Amino acid sequence: MSFSFDTTLANARNLDAADVLADFKKEFHFPQHNHENVIYFCGNSLGLQPKNAEAAFQQELDDWKNVAIAGFSKAKNPWLFYQEYMKPALARIVGAKENEVTVMNTLTVNLHLLMLTFYKPNKDKFKIMMEAGAFPSDQYAIETLVKHFGLNPDECIIELSPREHEKLLRTEDIVEAIHHHKKNLAVVMLGGINYYTGQYFDLKTITEAAHEACTYCGFDLAHAAGNVLMQLHDWNVDFACWCNYKYLNGGPGCVGAIYVHERFASNADTPRLAGWWGNDEATRFKMEKGFIPKTNAGGWNISTAQVMNMVALRASLEYFDKATMQQLRNKSIQLTAYLEYLLHQLKNIQFEIITPINPEERGAQLSLYFKTQGKEIHDKMIENGIIVDYREPGVIRVAPAPLYCSFEDVYRFYEILKNNF
Ligand SMILES: *Cc1c(COP(=O)(O)O)cnc(C)c1O
């Protein structure tokens, strides 16, 4: 795709005028800075509050107040089925069948549960492959999982690192490593998009390679869900999990989600740790011995639906359904390309864009490495009401989420870099 950009404010405003999703910005609450909305580029960490969330919370508070236990069946949105309300939209977002997704727990907990389903170390196959420098929670999860089986993380975890002098993993190197370790490899588990570099891995090719190596393949989609287009089912991905509070705006610590390919989800014999909410609904309340799993991803549910923890997500997903992932992605590609274009016009600052230049290999986020003034630049942005995040050493992550960020927002970011350094 090629776009025509220039460095004028008028160009930014024209791009906003042509943006079919521009009105969604009004559907979100922005923190205030000098009595104005901040510019928010941190949707990759915590999405903004959708304005329809408050009424949705009020509904559940009212139903709880007025009917208490009867709310499981008599609430306006019966709580018994609360998870069901989110499945269609989430399935569309990750390219899955509805029977392959459910919401439950939180991300790292779900990663543990899915790994316990897919990681069955034996004397031949006992290794797990992940990215070096994966999100710490994922590293801790895999390290302790391996120890839980009485094994040594140093022998069981294969960490993929970029080539010397490079910052990104090459697909060909990932595939090569999978084939190389084929004999002992049990599970490949990568982030769909690396949280730090913003690199979107080639999930389809990696899954194919894993399957050729008779290895399960799963992804942590924390930074991919609601950000890029995926076809988890068609790509044959075995399992995935993600949080819903980043691009999906479900609120701090809200319910997480899982995907399990239907060839496992529909099989009651697929191993898992169980609880009553994963039991077949027909017999759940008989309170009898003997777990009979639901034959869909809901068979991994353990505890009572965390209703209050799903309310804002449900509200936010209404906007995703209206906007559609395809249109969000179209805008996102253009918005991030615009950010990249403007950055390249700057002659006064030394920096490197770590994130891939190919739009197919990234989502909304650009990770900028400033050799010297990283922290100062970050602080200057905050001072000017532009929320970005900073990671040592000198990396600012900028994520213009297409649902509520505009081209003018991106222009303002550029203007500060241009005029202050
Ligand atoms: C945000 C994020 C997490 C956070 O996990 P929680 O269990 O929700 O705290 C884990 N992994 C990745 C890759 C993330 O980006």
Side-chain angles (χ1 to χ4, degrees):
M1 249 178 278
S2 81
F3 304 108
S4 85
F5 300 133
D6 64 41
T7 56
T8 64
L9 175 58
N11 180 227
R13 290 189 168 155
N14 287 337
L15 291 164
D16 282 328
D19 171 13
V20 293
L21 302 179
D23 282 346
F24 283 99
K25 197 180 188 39
K26 296 191 203 103
E27 306 292 343
F28 288 85
H29 289 291
F30 287 78
Q32 299 295 297
H33 176 81
N34 296 340
H35 309 290
E36 276 183 41
N37 288 352
V38 297
I39 290 172
Y40 196 75
F41 291 141
C42 262
N44 56 343
S45 289
L46 180 70
L48 292 176
Q49 184 183 133
K51 286 189 179 162
N52 61 354
E54 198 165 320
F57 275 112
Q58 196 57 54
Q59 180 70 50
E60 304 313 333
L61 284 173
D62 288 347
D63 287 343
W64 180 24
K65 179 162 101 184
N66 295 325
V67 301
I69 185 68
F72 278 95
S73 54
K74 299 256 163 23
K76 175 155 183 262
N77 314 300
W79 301 331
L80 203 53
F81 308 112
Y82 217 89
Q83 276 134 321
E84 303 300 319
Y85 311 145
M86 272 146 284
K87 289 184 188 178
L90 286 175
R92 282 189 280 276
I93 284 169
V94 299
K97 296 189 173 183
E98 281 177 35
N99 62 0
E100 294 174 321
V101 296
T102 190
V103 289
M104 58 188 211
N105 317 311
T106 44
L107 172 52
T108 313
V109 174
N110 290 336
L111 180 59
H112 277 299
L113 292 173
L114 290 174
M115 287 303 291
L116 286 170
T117 286
F118 288 93
Y119 181 58
K120 298 271 159 249
N122 59 41
K123 72 177 187 358
D124 293 321
K125 292 236 181 223
F126 55 87
K127 294 192 178 178
I128 300 172
M129 181 175 283
M130 60 191 303
E131 321 120 270
F135 195 90
S137 202
D138 299 30
Q139 292 184 44
Y140 306 153
I142 302 303
E143 174 193 332
T144 54
L145 173 75
V146 164
K147 285 186 179 160
H148 164 84
F149 280 101
L151 300 169
N152 179 352
D154 293 337
E155 286 162 14
C156 296
I157 301 174
I158 303 162
E159 290 194 342
L160 297 170
S161 297
R163 294 183 188 188
E164 212 179 340
H165 309 303
E166 296 188 11
K167 292 206 169 64
L168 303 168
L169 283 168
R170 298 189 191 196
T171 307
E172 68 214 76
D173 291 355
I174 301 174
V175 168
E176 153 68 23
I178 291 171
H179 290 305
H180 179 77
H181 291 284
K182 179 179 172 131
K183 188 165 166 291
N184 301 130
L185 195 56
V187 180
V188 174
M189 203 296 293
L190 300 179
I193 291 184
N194 181 275
Y195 80 100
Y196 186 76
T197 63
Q199 180 178 13
Y200 177 24
F201 297 117
D202 183 343
L203 309 191
K204 180 167 183 266
T205 301
I206 294 168
T207 305
E208 271 165 23
H211 289 171
E212 276 164 24
C214 298
T215 295
Y216 292 123
C217 191
F219 297 101
D220 178 334
L221 303 177
H223 282 259
N227 181 14
V228 289
L229 301 179
M230 292 177 279
Q231 291 300 333
L232 297 185
H233 176 84
D234 289 347
W235 295 345
N236 236 341
V237 171
D238 296 310
F239 68 94
C241 47
W242 62 95
C243 52
N244 290 303
Y245 52 77
K246 292 177 178 167
Y247 290 96
L248 290 165
N249 314 314
C254 81
V255 71
I258 65 162
Y259 153 92
V260 182
H261 193 284
E262 69 180 352
R263 68 178 162 273
F264 306 108
S266 64
N267 179 358
D269 294 329
T270 304
R272 72 199 75 192
L273 296 186
W276 70 328
W277 230 250
N279 199 86
D280 183 11
E281 263 140 24
T283 55
R284 181 192 293 155
F285 293 105
K286 289 191 178 158
M287 308 305 222
E288 285 171 356
K289 200 173 158 69
F291 175 63
I292 304 168
K294 291 187 227 173
T295 46
N296 56 47
W300 274 259
N301 290 156
I302 295 182
S303 291
T304 307
Q306 302 153 263
V307 173
M308 291 303 174
N309 230 350
M310 303 186 200
V311 175
L313 175 62
R314 179 164 177 242
S316 172
L317 289 176
E318 287 180 21
Y319 295 141
F320 276 86
D321 269 345
K322 279 191 203 141
T324 74
M325 268 319 292
Q326 184 64 61
Q327 291 201 93
L328 282 163
R329 179 64 173 150
N330 292 350
K331 172 175 173 184
S332 177
I333 288 173
Q334 193 184 13
L335 193 59
T336 299
Y338 178 58
L339 171 62
E340 185 182 21
Y341 166 83
L342 290 179
L343 286 166
H344 283 312
Q345 310 314 308
L346 292 167
K347 303 287 176 251
N348 55 330
I349 313 178
Q350 292 293 310
F351 67 94
E352 182 190 342
I353 301 178
I354 300 174
T355 309
I357 47 169
N358 177 1
E360 304 280 304
E361 292 173 38
R362 69 186 187 202
Q365 170 186 331
L366 291 186
S367 304
L368 313 176
Y369 171 55
F370 295 90
K371 282 167 199 87
T372 51
Q373 309 168 86
K375 191 75 182 79
E376 271 170 83
I377 291 171
H378 172 263
D379 295 347
K380 182 59 93 181
M381 291 297 163
I382 301 291
E383 214 175 277
N384 283 277
I386 299 185
I387 313 297
V388 290
D389 104 351
Y390 180 76
R391 298 276 154 136
E392 291 294 346
V395 172
I396 293 182
R397 300 185 305 164
V398 189
L403 200 52
Y404 50 68
C405 292
S406 66
F407 290 85
E408 186 168 339
D409 291 345
V410 169
Y411 182 83
R412 298 294 173 198
F413 176 81
Y414 157 76
E415 205 175 34
I416 290 182
L417 287 176
K418 182 165 162 258
N419 296 340
N420 291 278
F421 296 94

